[in-house]
Amino acid sequence: MKGLLLDDRWAPVTSELGFLETDAEHAARAFTAWQAGLGGSRGIAVQVQPVAGTLEQALSALLPLTSPEPRRYLFMPTRGAWTGYVDNARGGTDAASAMAVMARTLGCRGLRVVAVPHTLRKTQGGRYGAVMLEVYGPHQTAWINTVRAVSASNDGGRWVFDQCGEPFSFEKVEQYQARRVRDRFTFDMLEEYLHHLGLSPFEEDFYLPEGAPAWLVEKTGPVAPTHEEFTLARARKDF
């Protein structure tokens, strides 16, 4: 899968991306308030601060990666109307719930974007491939607040295609009937759909335009008994 952000060297952090159609600082501060409300009873403090530098320097602020829960979250301004989102979970960013909740909280659209090359080999490890797009809105829909979702993913060795919601006018719906399941929604289709929505999320210069800072949200305080920290290299060891 060519054309991934930063040549995929920041996977699994960037294998899944979130987006909110609002200002980065505004999104980060609203997210901070939400997380502080969730963690206050556990003695968790949540802080937000700007992070200057290149995209990779901003991503470095997430390190180390943690399990079983993320402790750092990064909100990145872009050249478009969208703010990018990643976190420091050891298994990669989990954008679904965060973007769905924040879309409702902020009254804007949110996205979950997944692009994972299928590299699994029986004796050599690797990853199950996936191409996914989920669009959330500020209001209740038939499925929580999901406006549209379309995906092709390898589920434990078998490719599956799923969709829900009404297709956008720019979608290539005829492709969803392709004989080979993994061809029904490809990375090229995902990239094209995102361009229609005003995003170029796999291009490094889409982020941090004109030296604008990213915003890092960090939790401090008690951690889970099973808390572990990982370098990026360790998290990528099976790639």
Side-chain angles (χ1 to χ4, degrees):
M1 191 182 290
K2 296 181 179 179
L4 292 171
L5 180 62
L6 298 169
D7 296 323
D8 212 29
R9 60 181 175 268
W10 272 89
V13 175
T14 55
S15 296
E16 181 168 327
L17 302 164
F19 293 93
L20 292 165
E21 200 171 19
T22 191
D23 173 77
E25 182 179 0
H26 179 54
R29 295 194 181 281
F31 183 86
T32 299
W34 174 45
Q35 291 295 310
L38 294 176
S41 63
R42 294 168 49 203
I44 299 293
V46 189
Q47 301 173 329
V48 59
Q49 62 181 338
V51 178
T54 65
L55 177 58
E56 292 201 73
Q57 287 170 333
L59 291 171
S60 295
L62 292 170
L63 299 175
L65 307 184
T66 57
S67 176
E69 63 176 357
R71 302 283 289 186
R72 298 187 182 99
Y73 313 81
L74 193 67
F75 291 81
M76 305 168 288
T78 71
R79 287 189 278 108
W82 300 84
T83 289
Y85 165 89
V86 288
D87 65 40
N88 80 327
R90 178 255 186 270
T93 297
D94 181 3
S97 60
M99 297 300 96
V101 169
M102 295 308 296
R104 300 187 75 160
T105 301
L106 297 170
C108 67
R109 290 190 295 180
L111 303 179
R112 176 192 183 213
V113 176
V114 179
V116 179
H118 185 69
T119 60
L120 190 70
R121 300 293 181 270
K122 290 183 179 180
T123 59
Q124 298 175 339
R127 293 183 286 173
Y128 289 108
V131 178
M132 301 179 176
L133 173 62
E134 296 177 7
V135 182
Y136 313 106
H139 306 297
Q140 180 74 32
T141 66
W143 180 250
I144 312 178
N145 61 324
T146 300
V147 175
R148 177 64 172 151
V150 57
S151 67
S153 60
N154 192 293
D155 183 11
R158 180 175 67 93
W159 283 90
V160 295
F161 172 80
D162 290 300
Q163 62 172 318
C164 72
E166 290 295 319
F168 292 106
S169 60
F170 53 74
E171 291 187 38
K172 296 181 173 179
V173 294
E174 68 283 354
Q175 190 66 28
Y176 303 159
Q177 305 303 317
R179 182 174 181 178
R180 196 170 75 147
V181 176
R182 70 185 298 177
D183 292 336
R184 295 178 188 176
F185 188 48
T186 65
F187 176 73
D188 289 343
M189 292 169 68
L190 172 64
E191 196 168 29
E192 183 177 334
Y193 289 11
L194 290 167
H195 285 163
H196 280 285
L197 292 168
L199 295 101
S200 301
F202 306 112
E203 298 176 12
E204 181 178 356
D205 65 1
F206 180 62
Y207 303 92
L208 311 182
E210 300 175 355
W215 292 87
L216 180 71
V217 177
E218 183 174 8
K219 293 179 181 177
T220 57
V223 297
T226 55
H227 177 83
E228 290 187 76
E229 298 184 349
F230 301 82
T231 64
L232 181 63
R234 185 180 171 194
R236 291 172 55 90
K237 65 183 178 64
D238 293 328
F239 284 16

